[in-house]
Amino acid sequence: MKLHKASAAAAAALVLSLTATACGGDSDSGDGGGKKITVGIKYDQPGLGLKTPDGKFTGFDVDVATYVAKQLGYEAKDITFKQAPSAERENLIKNGDVKFVVASYSINDKRKAEVDFAGPYFLAHQDLLVRADDNSITKATDLNSKKLCSVTGSTSAQNVKEKLAPKADLLQQGGYSECLTGLENKSVDALTTDNSILAGYAAQKEHQGKFKLVGLSLSDENYGIGLKKGDKDLQTKINAALKKMVDDGSWEKYVKANFGPANYKNEPAPKITEGS
């Protein structure tokens, strides 16, 4: 009996070895097929990255992360999603807590000093969300006399304070949900971030009819996949996965599934520029 078990174990090990060899190189970044991978996403962004009450994960970034991980040799069951708040994304990557981050992560020079990116895989624009009955905010400068909410560490907050409305009363919260609560109870007048994120919130059943997007394009936000600085091998593999995702129609499918209900008019898939 013991010999039979040992033989079975040896056979299983051989199969695993052959599988790893077959999928090594092109399909993973050195971690090997069958092992686990940890990916950073947002937990509080409907339409992009949301952890539902039953513990599932939904959204465009979740779909992209799952697709990319599969191209690296990991099935959905091998993925552990880790919460990646805006202010913590660089630390999670640098400390090795995650393999990569897919979390409405805009590529900019300040971040590229600390981490590398693959992509971009999506182009959004900064906009404002206001209460549906509020017509006092129609342009960015209107915020100078208003209470504005955004998320700590986001490019949107910096953009407003430095360029658009330096006299705005800016409140920075840990997550967009807190900003939305403030907007609903009138403790803030507007929420600013990417239009994709705002559309996701406005489209939720419990929020329909309460809020509206002002319809501004205050910035171009190219979403990239953040990874450890200098990991050119992983960057190349993720870029290849992103290109394949667009070419095989998966990108368009994910956009329609996650943003379609909000009538969000997305930009075409952007050209991959990082690592080239």
Coordinates of all heavy atoms in Angstrom, one line a residue, residues 217-255:
S217 N -13.8 66.7 -19.0 CA -12.6 65.9 -19.2 C -11.5 66.7 -18.7 O -10.8 67.4 -19.4 CB -12.4 65.6 -20.7 OG -13.4 64.7 -21.2
L218 N -11.2 66.6 -17.4 CA -10.3 67.4 -16.7 C -8.8 66.9 -16.8 O -7.9 67.6 -16.4 CB -10.7 67.6 -15.2 CG -12.0 68.2 -14.9 CD1 -12.4 68.1 -13.4 CD2 -12.1 69.6 -15.5
S219 N -8.7 65.6 -17.2 CA -7.4 65.0 -17.4 C -7.5 63.8 -18.2 O -8.6 63.2 -18.4 CB -6.8 64.7 -16.0 OG -7.5 63.7 -15.4
D220 N -6.4 63.3 -18.7 CA -6.4 61.9 -19.3 C -5.7 61.0 -18.3 O -4.6 61.2 -17.8 CB -5.5 62.0 -20.6 CG -6.2 62.8 -21.7 OD1 -7.4 62.9 -21.7 OD2 -5.4 63.3 -22.6
E221 N -6.4 59.9 -18.0 CA -5.9 58.9 -17.1 C -5.7 57.6 -17.8 O -6.7 56.9 -18.1 CB -6.9 58.8 -15.9 CG -7.3 60.1 -15.2 CD -6.1 60.7 -14.5 OE1 -5.1 60.0 -14.1 OE2 -6.1 61.9 -14.2
N222 N -4.5 57.3 -18.0 CA -4.1 56.0 -18.7 C -3.9 55.0 -17.6 O -2.9 55.0 -16.9 CB -2.9 56.2 -19.5 CG -3.2 56.8 -20.9 OD1 -3.8 56.2 -21.7 ND2 -2.7 58.0 -21.1
Y223 N -4.8 54.0 -17.5 CA -4.7 53.0 -16.5 C -3.6 52.0 -16.9 O -3.7 51.4 -18.0 CB -6.0 52.2 -16.3 CG -7.1 53.0 -15.7 CD1 -8.4 52.5 -15.6 CD2 -6.9 54.3 -15.1 CE1 -9.4 53.2 -15.0 CE2 -7.9 55.0 -14.6 CZ -9.2 54.5 -14.5 OH -10.2 55.1 -14.0
G224 N -2.7 51.7 -16.0 CA -1.6 50.7 -16.3 C -1.7 49.6 -15.2 O -2.3 49.8 -14.1
I225 N -0.9 48.6 -15.4 CA -0.8 47.5 -14.4 C 0.6 47.7 -13.7 O 1.6 47.7 -14.4 CB -0.8 46.1 -15.1 CG1 -2.3 45.9 -15.6 CG2 -0.5 45.0 -14.1 CD1 -2.5 44.6 -16.3
G226 N 0.5 48.0 -12.4 CA 1.8 48.3 -11.7 C 2.5 47.0 -11.3 O 1.9 46.1 -10.9
L227 N 3.8 47.1 -11.4 CA 4.6 45.9 -11.0 C 6.0 46.4 -10.5 O 6.3 47.6 -10.6 CB 4.8 45.0 -12.2 CG 5.4 45.6 -13.5 CD1 6.7 45.0 -13.9 CD2 4.4 45.4 -14.6
K228 N 6.8 45.5 -10.0 CA 8.0 45.9 -9.3 C 9.0 46.5 -10.3 O 9.1 46.0 -11.5 CB 8.7 44.6 -8.7 CG 9.8 45.0 -7.8 CD 10.2 43.8 -6.8 CE 9.2 43.8 -5.6 NZ 9.7 42.8 -4.6
K229 N 9.6 47.5 -9.9 CA 10.6 48.2 -10.8 C 11.7 47.3 -11.3 O 12.3 46.6 -10.5 CB 11.1 49.5 -10.1 CG 11.8 50.5 -11.0 CD 11.8 51.9 -10.4 CE 12.3 52.9 -11.4 NZ 11.3 53.1 -12.5
G230 N 12.0 47.3 -12.6 CA 13.0 46.5 -13.1 C 12.7 45.2 -13.6 O 13.5 44.4 -14.2
D231 N 11.4 44.7 -13.3 CA 11.0 43.4 -13.7 C 10.5 43.4 -15.2 O 9.3 43.4 -15.5 CB 9.9 42.9 -12.8 CG 9.6 41.4 -13.0 OD1 10.0 40.8 -14.0 OD2 9.0 40.8 -12.1
K232 N 11.5 43.5 -16.1 CA 11.2 43.7 -17.5 C 10.5 42.4 -18.1 O 9.7 42.5 -19.0 CB 12.5 44.0 -18.3 CG 13.1 45.3 -18.0 CD 12.2 46.5 -18.3 CE 12.8 47.8 -17.9 NZ 11.8 48.9 -18.0
D233 N 10.9 41.3 -17.5 CA 10.3 40.0 -18.0 C 8.8 40.0 -17.8 O 8.0 39.7 -18.7 CB 10.9 38.8 -17.3 CG 10.4 37.5 -17.8 OD1 10.4 37.3 -19.0 OD2 10.0 36.7 -17.0
L234 N 8.4 40.3 -16.6 CA 6.9 40.4 -16.2 C 6.2 41.5 -17.0 O 5.1 41.2 -17.5 CB 6.7 40.6 -14.7 CG 5.3 40.6 -14.2 CD1 4.6 39.3 -14.5 CD2 5.2 40.9 -12.7
Q235 N 6.9 42.6 -17.2 CA 6.3 43.7 -17.9 C 6.0 43.3 -19.4 O 4.9 43.5 -19.9 CB 7.2 44.9 -17.9 CG 6.7 46.1 -18.6 CD 7.8 47.2 -18.7 OE1 8.9 47.0 -19.1 NE2 7.4 48.4 -18.3
T236 N 7.0 42.6 -20.0 CA 6.8 42.1 -21.4 C 5.6 41.1 -21.5 O 4.8 41.2 -22.4 CB 8.1 41.5 -21.9 OG1 9.1 42.4 -21.8 CG2 8.0 41.0 -23.3
K237 N 5.6 40.2 -20.5 CA 4.5 39.2 -20.6 C 3.1 39.8 -20.3 O 2.1 39.4 -21.0 CB 4.8 38.1 -19.5 CG 6.0 37.2 -19.9 CD 6.3 36.3 -18.8 CE 7.5 35.4 -19.2 NZ 8.1 34.6 -18.1
I238 N 3.0 40.8 -19.4 CA 1.7 41.4 -19.2 C 1.3 42.2 -20.4 O 0.1 42.2 -20.8 CB 1.8 42.3 -17.9 CG1 1.9 41.4 -16.7 CG2 0.5 43.1 -17.8 CD1 2.0 42.2 -15.4
N239 N 2.3 42.9 -21.0 CA 1.9 43.7 -22.2 C 1.4 42.8 -23.3 O 0.4 43.1 -24.0 CB 3.2 44.4 -22.7 CG 3.4 45.7 -22.0 OD1 2.5 46.3 -21.4 ND2 4.6 46.2 -22.0
A240 N 2.0 41.6 -23.5 CA 1.6 40.6 -24.5 C 0.2 40.1 -24.2 O -0.7 40.0 -25.1 CB 2.5 39.4 -24.5
A241 N -0.1 39.9 -22.9 CA -1.4 39.5 -22.4 C -2.5 40.6 -22.7 O -3.6 40.3 -23.2 CB -1.4 39.1 -21.0
L242 N -2.1 41.8 -22.5 CA -3.1 42.9 -22.7 C -3.4 43.1 -24.2 O -4.5 43.3 -24.6 CB -2.5 44.2 -22.2 CG -2.4 44.3 -20.7 CD1 -1.7 45.6 -20.3 CD2 -3.7 44.2 -20.0
K243 N -2.4 42.9 -25.0 CA -2.6 43.0 -26.5 C -3.5 41.9 -27.0 O -4.4 42.1 -27.8 CB -1.2 42.9 -27.2 CG -1.3 43.1 -28.7 CD 0.0 43.1 -29.4 CE -0.1 43.4 -30.9 NZ -1.0 42.6 -31.6
K244 N -3.3 40.7 -26.5 CA -4.1 39.5 -26.8 C -5.5 39.8 -26.4 O -6.5 39.4 -27.1 CB -3.5 38.2 -26.2 CG -4.3 37.0 -26.6 CD -3.7 35.7 -26.0 CE -4.5 34.5 -26.4 NZ -4.0 33.3 -25.7
M245 N -5.7 40.3 -25.2 CA -7.0 40.6 -24.6 C -7.8 41.5 -25.6 O -9.0 41.3 -25.8 CB -6.9 41.2 -23.2 CG -8.2 41.6 -22.6 SD -8.0 42.2 -20.9 CE -7.2 43.8 -21.3
V246 N -7.2 42.5 -26.1 CA -7.8 43.4 -27.1 C -8.1 42.7 -28.4 O -9.2 42.7 -28.9 CB -7.0 44.7 -27.3 CG1 -7.6 45.5 -28.5 CG2 -6.8 45.5 -26.1
D247 N -7.1 42.0 -28.9 CA -7.2 41.3 -30.2 C -8.3 40.2 -30.2 O -8.9 40.1 -31.3 CB -5.9 40.7 -30.6 CG -4.8 41.8 -30.9 OD1 -5.2 42.9 -31.1 OD2 -3.6 41.4 -31.0
D248 N -8.5 39.5 -29.1 CA -9.4 38.4 -29.2 C -10.9 38.8 -28.8 O -11.8 38.0 -28.7 CB -9.0 37.2 -28.3 CG -9.0 37.5 -26.8 OD1 -9.6 38.5 -26.4 OD2 -8.4 36.7 -26.1
G249 N -11.0 40.2 -28.5 CA -12.4 40.7 -28.2 C -12.8 40.7 -26.8 O -13.8 41.2 -26.4
S250 N -11.9 40.2 -25.9 CA -12.2 40.1 -24.5 C -12.3 41.5 -23.9 O -13.2 41.7 -23.0 CB -11.1 39.3 -23.7 OG -11.2 37.9 -24.2
W251 N -11.4 42.4 -24.3 CA -11.4 43.8 -23.7 C -12.8 44.4 -24.0 O -13.4 45.0 -23.0 CB -10.3 44.6 -24.4 CG -10.1 46.0 -23.8 CD1 -9.3 46.3 -22.8 CD2 -10.8 47.2 -24.3 NE1 -9.4 47.7 -22.6 CE2 -10.3 48.2 -23.5 CE3 -11.7 47.5 -25.3 CZ2 -10.7 49.6 -23.6 CZ3 -12.1 48.8 -25.5 CH2 -11.6 49.8 -24.7
E252 N -13.3 44.3 -25.2 CA -14.6 44.9 -25.5 C -15.7 44.3 -24.7 O -16.6 45.0 -24.2 CB -14.8 44.8 -27.0 CG -16.1 45.6 -27.5 CD -15.8 47.1 -27.5 OE1 -14.7 47.5 -27.7 OE2 -16.8 47.8 -27.3
K253 N -15.6 43.0 -24.5 CA -16.7 42.3 -23.8 C -16.7 42.7 -22.3 O -17.7 43.0 -21.8 CB -16.4 40.8 -23.9 CG -17.4 39.9 -23.2 CD -17.1 38.4 -23.3 CE -16.0 38.0 -22.3 NZ -15.7 36.6 -22.3
Y254 N -15.5 42.9 -21.7 CA -15.4 43.3 -20.3 C -15.9 44.8 -20.2 O -16.6 45.1 -19.2 CB -14.0 43.3 -19.8 CG -13.3 41.9 -19.9 CD1 -11.9 41.8 -20.0 CD2 -14.1 40.7 -19.8 CE1 -11.4 40.5 -20.0 CE2 -13.5 39.5 -19.8 CZ -12.1 39.4 -19.9 OH -11.6 38.1 -20.0
V255 N -15.6 45.6 -21.1 CA -16.1 47.0 -21.1 C -17.6 47.1 -21.1 O -18.2 47.8 -20.3 CB -15.5 47.9 -22.3 CG1 -16.2 49.2 -22.4 CG2 -14.0 48.1 -22.1

